[in-house]
Amino acid sequence: MRLLGFWRLLSVATLASAAHLPPRNYTSHDYYAVHLSPSTSPEELATHLGLTYDGPLSAIQDHHVFKAPKHQNDIVDDAVQELKRRRRKREVGGDFHVLDSIHFTQKQKLKPRHWKRGIIPEPPAGHTLRQNIAVHGNQEAVKTQQKIASTLDIKDPIFNEQWHIFNTKTPGNDVNVTDIWMQGITGKNVTACIVDDGLDMDSRDLKDNFFAEGSYDFNDHVPLPKPQLSDDRHGTRCAGEVSAGRNDACGVGLAYDSKISGVRILSGDISDMDEALAINYKLQDNHIYSCSWGPPDDGKTMQAPGILITKAMVTAVQQGRGGKGSIYVFAAGNGANNDDNCNFDGYTNSIYSITVGAIDQNNQHPYYSEACSAQLVVTYSSGGGESIHTTDVGANQCTSSHGGTSAAGPIAVGVYALVLSARPELTWRDLQWLTVMTAVPFDQPSDWTKTPGMGRNFSHQFGYGKLDAYAIVEAAKTWKLVKPQAWFYSPWMHVNQAIPQGEKGLASSFEVTEQMLKDANLERVEHITVTMNVKHQRRGDLSVELKSPEGMISHLATARRDDEDIRGYEDWTFMSVAHWGEKGVGKWTVILKDTKVNEKTGTFTDWKLRLWGESIDASKSKLLPLPDAHDDDDHDVIDDHPAHTTSVNVPTGTPVSSVNPSDLPTRPVNQKPTNGAQTEPTASATSAAASATASPDNFLPSIFPTFGVSKRTQIWIYGSIGLILVFFAGLGTYFYLARRKRLQSSRDNYEFEILDEAEDDEGGARTGMLAGAGARSGRRAKRGGELYDAFAGESDEDLLSESEDGDGPYRDRDESPYDEKAHLADGSDAGGSNASGGSAGKRQ
Ligand SMILES: *[C@@H]1O[C@H](CO)[C@@H](O)[C@H](O)[C@H]1NC(C)=O
Ligand SMILES: *[C@@H]1O[C@H](CO)[C@@H](O)[C@H](O)[C@H]1NC(C)=O
Ligand SMILES: *[C@@H]1O[C@H](CO)[C@@H](O)[C@H](O)[C@H]1NC(C)=O
Ligand SMILES: *[C@@H]1O[C@H](CO)[C@@H](O)[C@H](O)[C@H]1NC(C)=O
C-alpha cells in the first residue's frame, strides 16, 4: 500500500503520454492490457505473476500494460483460472488475492492493419483541372478566385486547382469557405490529428503547422510518425487537406492556420492496445481525430472496434478537449460497388463518430461512397473526372489524385477545425447538431426524406447533405449549446421466430411511453441504435428497417450480394441519425427481411432499442459508464415480455401488433445500460468456408468440421455436447440458452463475481456501451495446452461444472476468428502461439 501513493504520483505524471511506455516488441514479448482495481498496485501484480510492468495504458483509466517473454499461454488469464479452479476444489480459501483485483485482462495480438479509404480514382479526362479551367473556367469565377487569393495573400501554386475550395468550373460545387477565411477564421488554436500511415512533417507545406507533441508512431514505436513505406502517402495527403500552410508550397488546407499532428497506425499490423492508445492520443491537445480507414470495404465484413478501442473512444468523448469531447471523423467507406454499407462498420456507425461520405465535383454520387443510416454528411472527393489536389510526401510535392471517402473525411475535419476555432466551447454533440442543421441538400436523385424530427432532408446516400463551411461556422457563432446526453434503453425483445423469405418481413415493435422518457431524463432523440441477434445461414440475404413513431424509416441494414457469412448478426449494433430531433414516444418497429427466396433460412432471435439524445434536466445528467467487456447482463434474464411480432408485407408501413407497455416490467433507465457488444470478428478476405469451419461462433452443426482439429476445439466441442445433453429438452431452448452461454463466456464467473462486488461499490459502473461500436473482443485466445491438459484430466467434472455456471466450454468462443482464419489461411496451426499470431499482410 505504501507503494501505491508513489505509483499514483508516477501515473499522474505520465498519464498524458504514450511515449512513457517502452517501445513494444511483439516479436520478443507478449503484452497484456489489464484493468486493475485502483487499490492494487500494478507492481504487486507484476511481481506475483513474474511480469514486467511497462506502465499505465494512458488511453483508459485504471488500465495497465504488462509484458512477458513470448509464451504460448495467456499467463494472466491462466493464473486467474487456476485460482478459480483451486477455490472450487477448496484448495485455497476465499481470502482476497491480488488476482482478485483484475477486472479485465487481454493478451494482445497483432491484427491486420485497417484499410485505407483512398482509391485509385478514375483517370481525369485527359486534362488537369488547371487546363480545364483555362479552357472551360468560368471567367467571372476565375476573377473572383484571383481576388480572394490576393486579398488573403494566398500564393500557393496549386490553389487555383483546389476546386473543392473554390470551384471556378462549376461555381457553387465547393465547401463555400472563402468568406469564412475573410473573417479571419482559419483554424487558429485548433489541432487536428491524422490517424493514418504517417505524416511528412518535413514537407514545406506542413512543417510550420506540424504539432510534434500530439504525434506518435504506433507502428514503429518512435516519437515521429514519419512515412517510411513506399505507400505511406495517404496520411500526408489527408493532412494537407486540413492544414497545409498558406505559403509557396502546393495548396492550402481548409484550416490553414490550424495545427496538425499525426499518429501512425496503418503501416503494419497493430494490437488493440496500440490502436486504443493511438485513437485518443493526447486528448487534451489533439481536438479532432481524422480517420480515413476502417475494416475492409469488401461487402462481406462486419467488424467493430475491440473493447479497448471502444473504451478509448468513450474516454476521449467524455474527457477530451477539457470535457467537451474529442471529435471523431470517419470516412464512410469505399465499398458501395461491393454492396457495402457503413452500418456494417462499427467505427462509422458509432454514435461518437461523424461519418462523412463523398460526392464528386458534379454533386453526384461517386461509385465507391457507401450509404447508411449512420452517415451524417457528405463532402467533395474524387469522381466525375476530378480528384482532390493536396500535399504529398516530399519537401515540395503535390498530388492531384487524392480520392475516395478518404479524401472527403479530412475536408470535413478542416471545416470542423474552423467551427471549433470560431466557437471552441462546442461539445462533440453540438458539432453533430450543427451538421444536421446546416448541411445543404442538393438536387440529386436519392431517397431524400423530410425528417419528422427537424424537418431536414435526409438521404441514406448523402446524409443531411453537403457540408457548407460558411453555413456551419455562421450557425456555430450563435449556437445554443445542447444539454448533456441522456439515453433510454428498451428491454431485450425476444422474438425467436423464423424469418419469412422474399417480400415479407418479420416485424417486432416496442412502445416507448412518455413516462419512460421522463424517467430517462430524455427530451429528444439524436442517435438511435438497435442491437440485434439474428441467426441466418447467409447473412447477406438479410435487411433491416426501423420505423419510428413519427413514420421515419431507417434502412439499418441492406442485403449484400457477397456476404456468405453463416453467423447472422451476433449482438450487432446498428445506428441511425435519421431520427434526429424526434420525440421518441410511441411505437418503434424493427422489420427484418430475408430478401432472397432460397434454401438459406434464419431466425430473428432478439433485439434491443436504444435512444440517445438531449436530456430534459441537465443537472440530473450523468456520464455514461465506460463500456465493459462483459456487458449485456440483462440479456441473460429470460424475462416474460416476448416481443409481439408479425409478418408483414412491404412496404413497411403496415401496422403490426406491439407490446403493450403495461406488460413490460418497469425497468430503471439510465441505470444499467448494457453493452451493445458487437461481433468484432469478420468474415473478411478468407473464404466463407474457412470462416465457417474456423469460426468459434458456429457452435451448432457447423462446428463439426473442426472436430478433432485441436485439443482446445475438442474440449470445446465436448463441452457443447455436454450442454446438449444437459439441455436437450428442446432444440429451440438449446439455441436460446447456448447463445446466452456464449454471451457469458466472455467472462468467467469468478471474475464476474468480483466484478459485481467491486463495481457495485463503484455505483454500478459495470454498465455502458459504445453505441454502435461496442465490442465483444474482451476475451481471446487463452488457455494454452497446459491448463487444458489439466482440465482434460478431470474434464467431465470440471467441464460440466463450468457448463453449469455458464462458462467453460464456450470460453474459446470469444477468441477472435482473426486467429483461426489466420491459421487456416497460413495453413499452419501455431499451436497456441496464435495469441499473438498476426495474419500479416493478408490485407495488403
Ligand atoms: C524484437 O525482438 C526480436 C527478437 O528478440 C529481435 O530480433 C528484434 O531485433 C527486436 N526488435 C526491435 C526493434 O528491437
Ligand atoms: C455560401 O456562403 C455565402 C457567403 O459567402 C452565403 O451567402 C451562402 O448562403 C452560402 N451558401 C449556402 C448554400 O449556404
Ligand atoms: C487562442 O487561444 C489563446 C489562449 O487561450 C487566446 O488568447 C486567443 O484569443 C485564441 N485565438 C483565437 C483566434 O481564438
Ligand atoms: C427538402 O426537400 C424538399 C423537396 O425537394 C424541398 O421542398 C424542401 O425545401 C427541402 N427542405 C429543406 C429543409 O431543405
Side-chain angles (χ1 to χ4, degrees):
M1 276 306 186
R2 256 173 288 118
L3 257 181
L4 196 61
F6 173 71
W7 167 73
R8 278 269 159 195
L9 270 179
L10 188 73
S11 98
V12 167
T14 57
L15 199 65
S17 165
H20 69 282
L21 289 172
R24 266 71 73 207
N25 184 341
Y26 288 94
T27 312
S28 57
H29 285 83
D30 291 327
Y31 292 84
Y32 294 90
V34 178
H35 181 192
L36 265 192
S37 294
S39 58
T40 297
S41 87
E43 286 82 0
E44 194 182 343
L45 183 70
T47 305
H48 180 80
L49 291 174
L51 304 168
T52 302
Y53 178 49
D54 261 5
L57 181 65
S58 51
I60 317 165
Q61 193 171 17
D62 295 330
H63 285 56
H64 302 275
V65 180
F66 299 87
K67 74 175 170 218
K70 231 171 171 40
H71 191 280
Q72 66 177 21
N73 289 359
D74 180 331
I75 295 172
V76 182
D77 195 57
D78 285 356
V80 171
Q81 299 308 320
E82 178 68 8
L83 177 64
K84 176 190 172 190
R85 193 184 64 82
R86 291 199 180 168
R87 280 199 177 135
R88 201 164 47 233
K89 291 182 167 290
R90 305 272 188 274
E91 288 169 16
V92 292
D95 295 347
F96 177 82
H97 190 284
V98 63
L99 293 177
D100 291 336
S101 48
I102 297 178
H103 295 268
F104 166 83
T105 168
Q106 188 187 61
K107 183 176 173 177
Q108 296 303 298
K109 66 182 175 210
L110 294 174
K111 58 179 184 177
R113 66 195 75 178
H114 290 288
W115 277 21
K116 301 173 194 175
R117 286 177 170 164
I119 53 161
I120 300 160
E122 302 148 298
H127 299 281
T128 68
L129 181 63
R130 201 207 291 259
Q131 287 160 332
N132 285 343
I133 289 165
V135 179
H136 305 292
N138 173 317
Q139 285 313 309
E140 193 85 351
V142 171
K143 265 192 212 129
T144 311
Q145 187 187 42
Q146 282 162 356
K147 212 169 131 207
I148 289 166
S150 90
T151 310
L152 294 169
D153 200 19
I154 293 174
K155 301 199 175 90
D156 297 66
I158 69 162
F159 175 64
N160 64 345
E161 293 176 27
Q162 293 188 298
W163 59 269
H164 67 283
I165 294 176
F166 192 92
N167 195 334
T168 53
K169 204 170 133 194
T170 323
N173 287 6
D174 57 40
V175 294
N176 204 24
V177 72
T178 51
D179 274 1
I180 291 300
W181 290 348
M182 297 283 191
Q183 297 173 15
I185 298 170
T186 51
K188 291 186 199 83
N189 282 0
V190 178
T191 304
C193 179
I194 307 293
V195 184
D196 211 287
D197 61 10
L199 189 163
D200 189 355
M201 67 289 297
D202 298 323
S203 157
R204 274 180 39 218
D205 221 5
L206 296 172
K207 68 179 173 32
D208 289 343
N209 286 337
F210 179 64
F211 180 61
E213 298 91 287
S215 303
Y216 195 78
D217 182 338
F218 286 92
N219 285 127
D220 290 349
H221 304 286
V222 293
L224 287 182
K226 180 89 178 159
Q228 303 290 348
L229 309 177
S230 60
D231 71 338
D232 282 352
R233 300 181 165 274
H234 188 255
T236 302
R237 293 172 174 187
C238 292
E241 293 179 87
V242 179
S243 191
R246 187 182 47 154
N247 52 26
D248 60 357
C250 290
V252 287
L254 285 160
Y256 54 75
D257 285 327
S258 65
K259 292 273 172 242
I260 192 85
S261 59
V263 297
R264 185 163 175 256
I265 65 164
L266 299 182
S267 303
D269 295 351
I270 191 162
S271 68
D272 272 13
M273 178 181 104
D274 278 319
E275 189 181 325
L277 284 164
I279 209 157
N280 73 10
Y281 190 59
K282 291 287 172 79
L283 76 178
Q284 301 309 338
D285 305 316
N286 289 324
H287 306 132
I288 308 173
Y289 295 93
S290 180
C291 305
S292 287
W293 45 264
D297 295 329
D298 54 10
K300 45 194 175 183
T301 297
M302 195 159 179
Q303 188 181 325
I307 185 70
L308 291 176
I309 301 158
T310 299
K311 288 190 203 191
M313 285 179 75
V314 179
T315 298
V317 158
Q318 296 184 347
Q319 297 177 17
R321 289 199 309 125
K324 297 182 292 289
S326 306
I327 310 301
Y328 285 102
V329 173
F330 270 87
N334 294 347
N337 234 13
N338 300 326
D339 265 0
D340 216 339
N341 174 303
C342 35
N343 239 325
F344 293 105
D345 168 344
Y347 295 86
T348 48
N349 84 0
S350 162
I351 67 171
Y352 302 118
S353 65
I354 295 175
T355 296
V356 180
I359 48 173
D360 69 16
Q361 59 167 351
N362 303 312
N363 283 356
Q364 282 174 359
H365 174 253
Y367 68 92
Y368 54 81
S369 190
E370 292 177 27
C372 69
S373 62
Q375 176 170 232
L376 203 61
V377 74
V378 292
T379 192
Y380 291 98
S381 187
S382 60
E386 257 299 352
S387 301
I388 298 299
H389 299 238
T390 177
T391 314
D392 207 344
V393 172
N396 190 10
Q397 295 293 313
C398 323
T399 179
S400 56
S401 58
H402 191 38
T405 52
S406 269
I411 290 178
V413 170
V415 172
Y416 292 133
L418 298 173
V419 174
L420 289 185
S421 178
R423 195 76 198 280
E425 67 268 36
L426 297 172
T427 71
W428 66 278
R429 284 170 44 248
D430 289 307
L431 224 53
Q432 297 200 20
W433 268 100
L434 283 163
T435 305
V436 170
M437 299 312 287
T438 65
V440 181
F442 44 92
D443 188 18
Q444 280 295 320
S446 189
D447 62 334
W448 293 110
T449 308
K450 188 171 169 181
T451 66
M454 304 309 306
R456 309 285 308 170
N457 285 324
F458 177 85
S459 128
H460 286 74
Q461 199 158 52
F462 302 124
Y464 283 94
K466 63 170 185 159
L467 266 181
D468 185 289
Y470 182 87
I472 193 169
V473 172
E474 284 300 313
K477 290 176 183 170
T478 54
W479 177 253
K480 184 168 174 288
L481 301 186
V482 291
K483 288 177 278 185
Q485 192 187 38
W487 52 87
F488 166 78
Y489 296 177
S490 83
W492 277 100
M493 307 298 289
H494 304 296
V495 180
N496 293 314
Q497 283 186 44
I499 312 158
Q501 291 195 321
E503 291 299 281
K504 293 203 115 196
L506 188 55
S508 175
S509 300
F510 177 74
E511 180 108 17
V512 175
T513 65
E514 245 178 290
Q515 189 60 43
M516 289 176 189
L517 295 191
K518 224 167 132 189
D519 294 344
N521 191 28
L522 180 61
E523 184 164 296
R524 53 179 175 174
V525 171
E526 294 160 5
H527 313 86
I528 65 91
T529 58
V530 172
T531 306
M532 299 180 79
N533 287 283
V534 176
K535 295 206 167 297
H536 199 277
Q537 292 164 319
R538 192 181 183 283
R539 189 169 66 195
D541 292 356
L542 296 169
S543 78
V544 182
E545 286 146 45
L546 174 73
K547 190 175 176 208
S548 76
E550 295 172 52
M552 183 70 192
I553 292 173
S554 286
H555 295 269
L556 299 180
T558 47
R560 300 195 296 177
R561 63 174 182 269
D562 294 332
D563 183 357
E564 304 278 350
D565 196 282
I566 61 169
R567 286 170 294 177
Y569 302 154
E570 293 178 330
D571 274 324
W572 185 262
T573 298
F574 295 108
M575 195 270 270
S576 176
V577 295
H579 304 282
W580 208 275
E582 288 191 40
K583 188 101 184 61
V585 174
K587 191 167 72 186
W588 292 82
T589 304
V590 167
I591 302 110
L592 175 63
K593 289 179 189 165
D594 182 348
T595 60
K596 298 255 167 9
V597 182
N598 55 19
E599 72 288 0
K600 313 276 190 183
T601 58
T603 309
F604 187 175
T605 308
D606 57 13
W607 64 286
K608 183 184 186 92
L609 173 74
R610 292 174 172 93
L611 309 180
W612 305 86
E614 186 175 18
S615 54
I616 300 167
D617 182 347
S619 70
K620 288 191 190 137
S621 71
K622 41 196 154 183
L623 278 186
L624 189 73
L626 275 194
D628 192 289
H630 338 114
D631 290 344
D632 257 325
D633 289 350
D634 66 348
H635 215 295
D636 299 341
V637 178
I638 301 174
D639 36 33
D640 52 0
H641 51 274
H644 291 206
T645 307
T646 39
S647 292
V648 294
N649 289 306
V650 279
T652 53
T654 318
V656 292
S657 63
S658 64
V659 180
N660 180 337
S662 61
D663 290 339
L664 293 166
T666 43
R667 186 165 180 285
V669 289
N670 278 14
Q671 210 174 319
K672 201 167 177 296
T674 59
N675 183 16
Q678 306 220 7
T679 48
E680 185 195 18
T682 72
S684 60
T686 46
S687 75
S691 62
T693 49
S695 167
D697 287 343
N698 296 314
F699 53 92
L700 268 182
S702 53
I703 61 163
F704 288 107
T706 67
F707 184 84
V709 159
S710 72
K711 190 169 292 166
R712 193 178 61 229
T713 313
Q714 280 181 30
I715 288 170
W716 171 55
I717 292 169
Y718 290 151
S720 300
I721 292 169
L723 263 186
I724 290 169
L725 292 175
V726 171
F727 294 117
F728 86 19
L731 194 59
T733 317
Y734 173 78
F735 260 92
Y736 186 78
L737 291 176
R739 192 175 55 73
R740 265 134 193 77
K741 297 293 174 204
R742 173 181 62 71
L743 289 165
Q744 283 193 339
S745 71
S746 62
R747 71 179 69 107
D748 68 59
N749 276 359
Y750 173 63
E751 184 183 333
F752 179 31
E753 284 152 19
I754 302 292
L755 269 170
D756 271 347
E757 289 163 18
E759 304 215 349
D760 283 346
D761 288 345
E762 293 164 19
R766 184 167 44 75
T767 52
M769 65 172 300
L770 171 63
R776 201 172 51 79
S777 67
R779 313 287 287 213
R780 318 167 308 93
K782 46 193 156 185
R783 264 154 297 271
E786 285 149 43
L787 264 187
Y788 265 112
D789 287 342
F791 278 140
E794 55 204 9
S795 61
D796 287 359
E797 179 197 333
D798 262 307
L799 288 175
L800 279 176
S801 73
E802 292 210 7
S803 307
E804 280 156 23
D805 58 36
D807 196 7
Y810 289 102
R811 211 184 265 135
D812 273 353
R813 204 161 291 130
D814 258 23
E815 178 177 351
S816 164
Y818 278 132
D819 285 338
E820 296 283 352
K821 284 189 300 185
H823 294 169
L824 288 177
D826 296 341
S828 67
D829 189 330
S833 66
N834 59 322
S836 61
S839 32
K842 282 229 299 292
R843 306 207 179 184
Q844 276 307 86

